[in-house]
Amino acid sequence: QVQLVESGGGSVQPGGSLRLSCAASGVTGSSYCMAWFRQAPGKAREGVAGIASDGRTNYADSVKGRFTISKDNAKNTLTLQMNSLEFDDTAMYYCAAFGSGGLRPLYPVWYNIWGQGTQVTVSS
């Protein structure tokens, strides 16, 4: 059974950094496209960053240059390094996957496996 478990969320001041991790079981990272999404209260879930099985990546414009997505296929772990965090980055962050390796658009409908989320709060 495929399972995604996120960790690493927390509270941070503006300008700070956090590193999110997603442990994937039952998923072979080398054959899955994986991504990070986020959802703030009262807002729709939005794509943050994705990574294909061949390592190609895509990012939301709002996080380009600040966030970096990476994966360790040997450890079946997906990571999101978040730097220069802003108030608007506050949200529940979700790990997602789809059982095909090609890079997929950053919309929830393109992914069918989801974690439970980890909260990121940026506040002063």
Side-chain angles (χ1 to χ4, degrees):
Q1 184 175 353
V2 176
Q3 186 175 16
L4 303 175
V5 180
E6 302 93 336
S7 62
S11 295
V12 64
Q13 293 184 339
S17 298
L18 279 176
R19 186 178 181 90
L20 304 183
S21 293
C22 172
S25 58
V27 171
T28 302
S30 61
S31 61
Y32 278 71
C33 180
M34 301 188 74
W36 289 97
F37 286 78
R38 66 186 181 187
Q39 188 167 17
K43 294 187 177 182
R45 190 169 297 191
E46 63 174 2
V48 175
I51 186 165
S53 58
D54 64 1
R56 288 178 298 143
T57 59
N58 53 354
Y59 292 91
D61 287 343
S62 60
V63 306
K64 282 181 181 177
R66 300 190 298 122
F67 292 10
T68 302
I69 189 172
S70 61
K71 64 188 178 81
D72 185 331
N73 289 335
K75 297 181 179 180
N76 273 352
T77 301
L78 181 72
T79 299
L80 184 68
Q81 178 66 43
M82 305 186 295
N83 299 328
S84 302
L85 283 161
E86 304 170 353
F87 291 120
D88 286 348
D89 295 319
T90 295
M92 184 72 78
Y93 283 71
Y94 297 91
C95 176
F98 185 83
S100 175
L103 193 62
R104 303 180 73 79
L106 289 173
Y107 297 100
V109 68
W110 286 88
Y111 294 82
N112 61 351
I113 304 167
W114 294 87
Q116 294 301 306
T118 185
Q119 178 67 39
V120 171
T121 301
V122 183
S123 67
S124 56

